[in-house]
Amino acid sequence: MNGTMAASSHRIMLGPLVAAIDQGTSSTRFLVFNSKTAELLSHHQVEIKQSFPKEGWVEEDPKEILQSVYECMERTCEKLTQLNIDISNIKAIGVTNQRETTLVWDKETGEPLYNAIVWLDLRTQSTVERLINKTPGRNKNHLKHKTGLPISTYFSAVKLRWLMDNVDEVHQAVVSHRAMFGTVDSWLIWCLTGGKSGGVHCTDVTNASRTMLFNIHTMDWDPELCKYFGIPMEILPRVRSSSEIYGLMKSGALSGIPISGCLGDQSAALVGQMCFQDGQAKNTYGTGCFLLRNTGVKPVMSEHGLLTTVAYKLGRDKPACYALEGSVAIAGAVVRWLQDNLGIIGSSEELEKLAASVGTSYGCYFVPAFSGLYAPYWEPIAQWSNFGAFEPPCFLESFAKMANNSKELKQWEPVLNKNRTTALGAAMAAGAAEGVSVWSLNPEDLSEVTSEKFEPQINPEESEFRYARWKKAVEKSMNWETMEPVCNGNGETSIFSSVPLGFYIIGSMLMLIGAKYLTGHRFLKHRICIGFSTTYESDPDRI
């Protein structure tokens, strides 16, 4: 039953309502839930434009992000009114957001000092290399004992460092004590609670744990980490729990309603799936793909390339819970790229039909390393590769190692409606906050929530076989930037002196010509590598 029909048929039974702002990489949504049943009553969605000033750069306009939130809120309130639902029943608002995306703004004018640098962005590679070079043994895991993270372009601290080094407006604002740093949640909460006229500058523990400036053991900003990155602590937001009243809405139809929940999107999905027990896990497919496993109140450090992150802290006096995370940078973004840049499909539904019609990939794999490779490789210079056809990037390698010794990972919980669980998690945190208390986080109290169960369609042997081949494809996508040139018989460098490389380049040309012939569009400025994997053996010790 869709949200409109549900609201029409049950409006007399509606209890307190809780709303959520879901600000993702490609769109913003505002959703309103019944706090007693978790029923989605209404929502509105607005797409967010991304800009690509240079190869590897990904930016978004902070003002557009904020405006999209206001638009979604207003449109949703209009829809609720049309359904005869009183918006005064909305008792709290939660915020969930794309993580690691970095903003700096002027606290006196309220103006952004640069575009938001999106988590996918690769411009900080030279910054990362410089930081790693000053660590003992050039170890990218040098800070992992405090942060749970490798030094990578992915996280906010290196983006902030780049802004301070390369954008004069940011540098001057920092020097003159006017700069405020935040991830998207901080920017939104500050603006929505008053902005330059008393806005609350805060973040929650889940977003803070993705900056590389946060100590996941002390649960606060770490002076040594800030010194390592050369970042003044005064520009950082105050760290709060994921479920407490941060401030009140100061404008619009929902003015006066408390903002009382805040979770990074992947943590919000973990909460929305009600994975509150050690061993429970969720996997979410969006722009990227992220698998989080709840590890309880003690952080677990991975030896296989997983991140250790704060899962949630659902109250000021509640303990923090942690998670292990496997991250894939590009998942759904591939579909958008195929549609918008290659023009070979008209919609995501069309791709789904095409993929379903094939039956088998015949040993062909697509490695979408547009933003490098995340878990478990953390390889920033991998190039995207097309090994003949399309095979979804569904393997989170490090979890395969864990799954061999963990029954929990084989006992997946039923999956809630995939389109709402992230926002639902933020709404749950907001509704359960002290001073609001209209939402129970006890799974038994949500007996009316619908769920859907998925079962594996292939046997373990076939899964292992495909996984081994996938690993080979991934290995072929790495180190293209560092390949040695080949010389011909005259001592001159020739790309065609190497048969495999010549095959790759000829294949690339043919693919370009074919794509242009079929679509009339040109490829993005990405390298294309075409080849076939001929060895399929698996080495489990390398997982």
Side-chain angles (χ1 to χ4, degrees):
M1 182 179 293
N2 63 42
T4 301
M5 293 175 60
S8 299
S9 59
H10 298 302
R11 61 178 178 269
I12 297 176
M13 301 173 61
L14 292 179
L17 311 182
V18 180
I21 298 165
D22 182 357
Q23 205 299 297
T25 311
S26 57
S27 71
T28 298
R29 297 186 300 163
F30 188 73
L31 306 92
V32 177
F33 298 91
N34 183 329
S35 66
K36 300 304 179 185
T37 64
E39 178 182 38
L40 176 61
L41 302 178
S42 186
H43 77 283
H44 190 78
Q45 182 170 357
V46 172
E47 286 197 7
I48 298 295
K49 296 178 183 177
Q50 296 177 346
S51 59
F52 308 92
K54 297 181 182 180
E55 185 176 357
W57 292 30
V58 189
E59 298 178 0
E60 293 178 350
D61 182 351
K63 288 187 174 181
E64 181 188 353
I65 291 173
L66 178 62
Q67 183 55 41
S68 71
V69 171
Y70 282 123
E71 181 178 347
C72 287
M73 294 173 78
E74 294 300 320
R75 295 294 176 268
T76 303
C77 287
E78 290 174 4
K79 293 177 182 179
L80 289 171
T81 301
Q82 291 170 2
L83 294 169
N84 295 320
I85 296 175
D86 189 348
I87 62 174
S88 67
N89 286 336
I90 298 176
K91 303 302 181 184
I93 298 172
V95 176
T96 182
N97 57 285
Q98 51 173 308
R99 304 173 302 171
E100 300 93 19
T101 296
T102 301
L103 303 91
V104 180
W105 64 94
D106 189 315
K107 65 182 177 183
E108 295 179 4
T109 66
E111 292 293 310
L113 297 171
Y114 193 78
N115 276 343
I117 300 181
V118 177
W119 57 277
L120 289 165
D121 191 282
L122 288 174
R123 77 186 66 188
T124 56
Q125 181 53 33
S126 59
T127 305
V128 167
E129 290 172 357
R130 186 179 77 245
L131 291 166
I132 292 176
N133 284 339
K134 71 177 187 179
T135 66
R138 301 184 72 254
N139 180 13
K140 64 184 176 184
N141 291 317
H142 178 65
L143 306 176
K144 193 172 183 180
H145 66 290
K146 283 189 174 183
T147 66
L149 314 171
I151 303 172
S152 165
T153 59
Y154 183 18
F155 306 109
S156 305
V158 292
K159 294 175 170 61
L160 177 55
R161 183 67 259 169
W162 186 93
L163 287 167
M164 292 170 61
D165 290 339
N166 294 278
V167 180
D168 187 59
E169 291 84 352
V170 173
H171 173 75
Q172 293 300 327
V174 170
V175 170
S176 59
H177 308 287
R178 293 181 291 108
M180 283 184 158
F181 154 78
T183 43
V184 171
D185 58 304
S186 298
W187 165 245
L188 293 180
I189 293 173
W190 186 79
C191 291
L192 295 174
T193 57
K196 62 182 180 180
S197 301
V200 177
H201 189 211
C202 70
T203 188
D204 91 300
V205 292
T206 68
N207 282 293
S209 73
R210 312 296 292 191
T211 62
M212 298 198 76
L213 302 172
F214 183 78
N215 188 317
I216 62 174
H217 306 286
T218 65
M219 301 299 290
D220 206 348
W221 302 121
D222 189 284
E224 291 184 358
L225 291 172
C226 291
K227 183 178 180 181
Y228 177 84
F229 288 99
I231 292 172
M233 296 185 72
E234 67 180 32
I235 74 173
L236 304 178
R238 179 185 171 190
V239 182
R240 311 278 286 272
S241 76
S242 307
S243 179
E244 61 179 273
I245 296 176
Y246 313 115
L248 305 180
M249 287 284 298
K250 288 296 171 63
S251 63
L254 301 179
S255 180
I257 294 177
I259 300 175
S260 54
C262 182
L263 290 153
D265 52 8
Q266 302 311 319
S267 289
L270 192 74
V271 172
Q273 298 280 10
M274 294 181 283
C275 297
F276 295 128
Q277 297 179 17
D278 183 350
Q280 291 183 322
K282 70 88 192 170
N283 196 26
T284 304
Y285 293 86
T287 299
C289 173
F290 303 89
L291 198 159
L292 268 67
R293 179 193 190 274
N294 190 326
T295 63
V297 296
K298 292 185 178 180
V300 176
M301 294 295 169
S302 168
E303 297 180 359
H304 308 289
L306 296 176
L307 307 178
T308 302
T309 195
V310 179
Y312 51 80
K313 186 177 189 293
L314 297 175
R316 285 177 292 183
D317 300 324
K318 298 293 179 65
C321 288
Y322 298 86
L324 282 170
E325 175 176 327
S327 314
V328 172
I330 302 294
V334 168
V335 178
R336 191 166 183 173
W337 178 78
L338 290 171
Q339 178 178 327
D340 296 345
N341 300 106
L342 291 191
I344 62 176
I345 59 169
S347 67
S348 57
E349 291 78 12
E350 184 179 341
L351 179 63
E352 185 177 0
K353 291 178 182 178
L354 288 171
S357 67
V358 174
T360 177
S361 68
Y362 296 99
C364 301
Y365 292 82
F366 179 58
V367 183
F370 295 113
S371 293
L373 294 170
Y374 285 6
Y377 303 100
W378 300 106
E379 172 61 63
I381 60 172
Q383 301 297 308
W384 77 273
S385 307
N386 181 12
F387 291 90
F390 183 82
E391 177 92 3
C394 301
F395 297 100
L396 289 172
E397 295 196 16
S398 302
F399 274 98
K401 183 79 171 182
M402 295 174 57
N404 289 331
N405 302 305
S406 174
K407 292 182 179 179
E408 291 92 340
L409 285 179
K410 296 178 181 178
Q411 296 172 346
W412 297 95
E413 293 294 306
V415 181
L416 293 172
N417 185 321
K418 64 182 177 182
N419 293 321
R420 63 179 174 131
T421 51
T422 302
L424 178 61
M428 291 167 66
E434 183 180 355
V436 179
S437 302
V438 299
W439 200 304
S440 170
L441 297 181
N442 187 342
E444 284 73 26
D445 293 334
L446 291 173
S447 58
E448 296 184 48
V449 176
T450 59
S451 63
E452 188 174 356
K453 192 169 184 177
F454 296 87
E455 298 287 351
Q457 298 299 306
I458 59 175
N459 59 46
E461 292 77 17
E462 176 68 12
S463 177
E464 288 296 321
F465 178 71
R466 292 189 187 185
Y467 173 58
R469 298 176 75 178
W470 168 254
K471 286 183 66 179
K472 287 293 184 181
V474 171
E475 288 171 8
K476 290 179 182 292
S477 75
M478 294 191 286
N479 302 318
W480 291 101
E481 295 276 345
T482 59
M483 289 184 69
E484 294 294 329
V486 181
C487 295
N488 61 21
N490 298 322
E492 300 173 340
T493 301
S494 170
I495 58 175
F496 293 100
S497 295
S498 166
V499 173
L501 186 56
F503 174 74
Y504 273 56
I505 293 170
I506 292 171
S508 300
M509 290 178 177
L510 290 173
M511 191 173 184
L512 279 167
I513 294 168
K516 186 174 181 181
Y517 173 78
L518 290 172
T519 68
H521 293 282
R522 294 187 178 184
F523 278 82
L524 279 177
K525 292 181 180 178
H526 286 294
R527 293 172 179 84
I528 300 174
C529 311
I530 303 175
F532 293 91
S533 175
T534 56
T535 54
Y536 313 129
E537 67 275 7
S538 173
D539 184 358
D541 292 332
R542 295 177 60 194
I543 297 175

